[in-house]
């Protein structure tokens, strides 16, 4: 119940009234009888004042100082909020939630009471203890095995995940610590071999902890020790490689394997997805920890609009490719590459773009990928020369120029041929799939 006593705002004469909560309440009366004075200038004004007083000084500077309404007492009133749609800030990262700091409380709420789920399969994800992981591996064996011989597995400790380097010292260290084998980029190697890696290539390295068969006779103590050792070496994660190679017999090196991920951290054992700890910052679209990587936390993407790029009433030579309408006038290498590309793919330069086939238009817009064209012309020294270039397409070229230019004038000019659309990764929600 909201209780108002002694309301004197404007033409109200010491009004006392009780209003029930969770009900639709209507104020009726003659014009000038004080309906708005009671509803907005008294009840709502006090609710908003209470809300603003709870905010930090930073947020209060955007909302201003709220005057206390002329009333003796208001009881049972919750803080209320109303924000003008004509906000002064044009920053796309500034929203009603961030300005009023409501979003800070929401992020804290999500972090404290939220239950993480796998973004692929939707299963709820929880921490797993060593005992639970051991039980899960044993249960996996009884579930998947297709013969009386049991399920053949290898317990692996992930050490390097898709990183560049030679890792010579790592192999020597593992060998000194008593490990005999590693799985390198999906293949198992003996550490007695001389392993030479290309330092500029990305590699994935897992130490082989043990190879065993899961059956009713499995030594649980041995498996528990393997799990504990793998979690310690693999930074609280381990992989169980299920060996499908029927011709395989220990200790030979298997060829056909399927991985199952187990983790003391948040991880989905089905989709092999490891999630970060649930904390407030992963729900913030203004930090790299929570922002959607596709749209960088904006919820929208600026994409090239083909209908704005091509003028169907003009040919290429007449400037029908609107962003490059004057490009062909100048004898630049891009103009030469475009002409060479059109000649090689049978796209006429003097035919109206509206008369081209859809296949020709798509080639013009999307290019031919990595296919190389020999482009001839004079260099800046006046010598006749040739270069070898690919044509990535008008759309990709526009995106490249927009991302690389630091000129605001150039960006504004290119934006004429682009439009905003909702981010396909987060569907406008601004944060990562793991956070969603």
């Amino acid at each position: 119940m909201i209780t108002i006593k002694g309301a004197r705002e404007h033409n109200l004469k010491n009004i006392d009234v009780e209003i029930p909560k969770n009900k639709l309440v209507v104020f009726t009366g003659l014009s000038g009888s004080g309906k708005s004075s009671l509803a907005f200038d008294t009840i709502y004004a006090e609710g908003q004042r209470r809300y603003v007083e709870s905010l930090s000084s930073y947020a209060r500077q955007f909302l201003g100082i709220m005057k206390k309404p002329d009333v003796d007492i208001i009881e049972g009133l919750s803080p209320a909020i109303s924000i003008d749609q004509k906000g002064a800030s044009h920053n796309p990262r500034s929203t009603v939630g961030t300005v009023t700091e409501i979003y800070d409380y929401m992020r804290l709420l999500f972090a404290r009471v939220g239950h993480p789920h796998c973004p692929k399969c939707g299963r709820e994800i929880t921490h797993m203890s060593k005992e639970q992981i051991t039980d899960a591996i044993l249960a996996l064996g009884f579930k998947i095995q297709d013969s009386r011989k049991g399920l053949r597995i290898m317990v692996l400790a992930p050490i390097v995940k898709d990183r560049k380097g030679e890792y010579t010292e790592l192999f020597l260290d593992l060998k000194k610590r008593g490990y005999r084998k590693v799985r390198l980029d999906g293949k198992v190697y003996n550490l007695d071999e001389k392993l030479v890696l290309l330092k500029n290539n990305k590699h994935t390295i897992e130490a082989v902890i043990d190879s065993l068969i899961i059956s009713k006779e499995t030594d649980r103590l041995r498996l528990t020790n393997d799990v504990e050792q793998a979690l310690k070496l693999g930074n609280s994660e381990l992989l169980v490689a299920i060996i499908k190679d029927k011709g395989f017999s220990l200790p030979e090196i298997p060829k056909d394997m399927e991985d199952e991920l187990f983790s003391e951290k948040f991880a989905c054992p089905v989709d092999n997805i490891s999630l970060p700890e649930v904390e407030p910052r992963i729900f913030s679209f203004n930090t790299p920890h929570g922002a959607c990587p596709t749209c960088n936390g904006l919820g929208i993407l600026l994409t090239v609009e083909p209908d704005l790029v091509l003028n169907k009433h003009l040919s290429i030579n007449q400037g029908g490719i609107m962003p490059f309408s004057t490009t062909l006038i100048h004898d630049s290498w891009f103009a030469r590459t475009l002409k060479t590309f059109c000649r090689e793919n049978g796209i006429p330069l003097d035919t109206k773009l509206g008369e081209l086939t859809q296949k020709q238009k798509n080639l013009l817009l999307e290019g031919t990928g990595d296919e190389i064209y020999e482009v001839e012309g004079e260099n800046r020294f006046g010598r006749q020369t040739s270069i070898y270039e690919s044509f990535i397409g008008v759309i990709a070229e526009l995106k490249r120029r927009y991302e690389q230019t630091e000129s605001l004038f150039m960006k504004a000019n290119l934006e004429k041929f682009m439009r905003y659309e909702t981010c396909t990764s987060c569907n406008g929600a601004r944060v990562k799939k793991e956070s969603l």
Side-chain angles (χ1 to χ4, degrees), residues 8 107 129 206 234 239 272 311 406:
R8 295 179 296 275
R107 293 191 293 116
S129 64
E206 297 121 356
L239 285 168
N272 292 344
N311 187 333
E406 295 181 358

Side-chain angles (χ1 to χ4, degrees), residues 222-254:
R222 174 183 172 183
L223 180 59
T224 302
N225 291 334
D226 292 341
V227 168
E228 187 173 346
Q229 187 178 354
L231 291 173
K232 185 177 180 180
L233 185 63
N235 191 24
S236 300
E237 290 185 347
L238 70 83
L239 285 168
V240 172
I242 301 169
I243 300 166
K244 295 183 176 182
D245 188 1
K246 293 183 178 180
F248 164 76
S249 60
L250 297 173
E252 292 179 4
I253 297 175

